[in-house]
């Protein structure tokens, strides 16, 4: 998958790029940076872990949510066809379970300023519509995803190579992430000698904390424009963000 990213850069004619990855995409981004460090202007790893057993969420909220997800699948036989009231109810239940993994309770409880409806209700509709249009993830895709994150890992020498590669690295994470536990992000940032910016959100901080994430990305781009090459580049500190600099 890292090779696919490099091939896309070749196709677009991009010699260098600011590489940003979320969750498993961050693992892919790290492999891309190791394969072709001269083509990376900066590396931002979002909502990720070091892979392997760290990819298995073992906190109580995640385990409870997973149990609810298993029951929704068991009760949702035939839901892929999108027929009948039972299938529709199962799709809604599965969407709610997915939202519990993806977003913070704080965000889900907020009201949309335009419609006045809860963000949770709007996201449930979005997830159900996407499921109806695209169908469930194929079994091969699920197994491939699991295989990729469980086999991912950075050796000590690879971590040293990334830290010394000559581009800024930043780790962004949500303090309420129950998929990729924050303690693993702290460990990864420390291993890479990179700053960790902990945000008040969950696994999908790219939506949960979109403004803060964009500020951090723009700050990294500007730092590189000004000549930053060290792993511990300066970074923004928007509201509701705690920074742990693990140099």
């Amino acid at each position: 998958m890292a090779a696919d990213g490099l091939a896309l850069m070749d196709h677009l004619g991009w010699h260098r790029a600011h590489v940003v990855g979320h969750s498993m995409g961050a693992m892919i981004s790290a492999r891309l940076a190791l394969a072709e460090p001269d083509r990376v202007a900066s590396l931002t790893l979002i909502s990720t872990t070091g892979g392997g057993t760290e990819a298995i969420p073992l906190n109580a909220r995640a385990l409870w949510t997973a149990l609810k997800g298993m029951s929704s699948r068991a009760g949702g036989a035939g839901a892929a066809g999108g027929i009948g009231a039972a299938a529709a109810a199962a799709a809604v239940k599965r969407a709610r379970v997915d939202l519990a993994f993806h977003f913070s309770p704080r965000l889900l409880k907020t009201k949309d300023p335009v419609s006045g409806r809860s963000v949770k209700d709007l996201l449930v509709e979005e997830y159900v519509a996407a499921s109806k249009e695209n169908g469930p993830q194929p079994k091969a895709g699920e197994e491939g995803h699991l295989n990729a994150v469980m086999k991912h890992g950075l050796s000590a020498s690879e971590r040293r190579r990334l830290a010394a590669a000559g581009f800024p690295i930043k780790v962004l994470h949500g303090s309420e992430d129950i998929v990729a536990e924050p303690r693993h992000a702290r460990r990864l940032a420390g291993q890479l000698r990179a700053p960790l910016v902990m945000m008040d959100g969950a696994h999908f901080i790219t939506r949960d904390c979109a403004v803060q994430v964009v500020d951090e990305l723009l700050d990294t781009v500007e730092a590189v424009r000004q000549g930053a090459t060290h792993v511990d580049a300066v970074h923004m500190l928007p509201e509701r963000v705690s920074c742990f600099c693990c140099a």
Side-chain angles (χ1 to χ4, degrees):
M1 288 181 280
D4 288 343
L6 289 167
L8 177 59
M9 289 175 61
D10 291 339
H11 176 73
L12 295 172
W14 294 359
H15 174 65
R16 293 177 76 227
H18 295 276
V19 179
V20 182
H22 174 266
S23 196
M24 185 177 76
M27 300 177 185
I28 297 169
S29 297
R31 303 307 317 180
L32 184 155
L34 281 166
E36 297 285 349
D38 292 341
R39 303 190 65 179
V40 177
S42 70
L43 178 64
T44 304
L45 309 176
I46 305 176
S47 303
T48 194
T49 72
T53 57
E54 291 184 5
I56 304 173
L58 297 176
N59 58 86
R61 277 182 56 200
L63 294 173
W64 174 244
T65 304
L67 287 173
K68 290 194 293 184
M70 292 172 62
S71 66
S72 69
R73 288 190 174 194
I83 57 174
V92 169
K93 185 176 181 181
R94 177 60 191 273
R96 288 174 176 163
V97 169
D98 287 344
L99 291 179
F101 275 116
H102 295 164
F103 298 100
S104 65
R106 172 189 55 78
L107 178 73
L108 296 177
K109 290 177 181 177
T110 59
K111 297 290 185 181
D112 173 59
V114 176
S115 65
R117 300 175 61 199
S118 74
V119 170
K120 182 176 182 178
D121 287 344
L122 293 173
L123 286 171
V124 165
E125 291 181 359
E126 177 185 321
Y127 276 43
V128 170
S131 177
K132 183 177 180 180
E133 180 179 355
N134 303 315
Q137 183 182 25
K139 184 179 180 182
E142 289 185 316
E143 293 176 348
H145 188 163
L146 179 62
N147 180 68
V149 298
M150 291 299 295
K151 288 190 175 181
H152 172 73
L154 298 174
S155 67
S157 62
E158 287 174 331
R159 295 194 296 268
R160 288 193 295 269
R161 282 170 51 201
L162 280 178
F167 49 76
I169 302 176
K170 187 181 294 183
V171 180
L172 308 181
H173 211 85
S175 60
E176 298 184 62
D177 194 334
I178 63 172
V179 177
E181 296 183 34
R183 60 193 175 99
H184 299 316
R186 291 190 181 95
R187 181 170 180 265
L188 178 63
Q191 291 170 338
L192 296 175
R193 301 199 299 275
L196 166 66
V197 181
M198 192 68 72
M199 301 182 178
D200 187 13
H203 193 60
F204 279 16
I205 54 171
T206 47
R207 292 184 68 172
D208 216 334
C209 307
V211 172
Q212 296 97 317
V213 170
V214 170
D215 282 345
E216 289 291 341
L217 295 177
L218 290 176
D219 186 65
T220 296
V221 171
E222 184 59 29
V224 173
R225 283 176 178 168
Q226 295 180 14
T229 58
H230 193 267
V231 60
D232 188 13
V234 296
H235 54 277
M236 297 287 290
L237 287 178
E239 293 182 2
R240 304 180 68 82
V241 175
S242 298
C243 173
F244 303 86
C245 290
C246 305

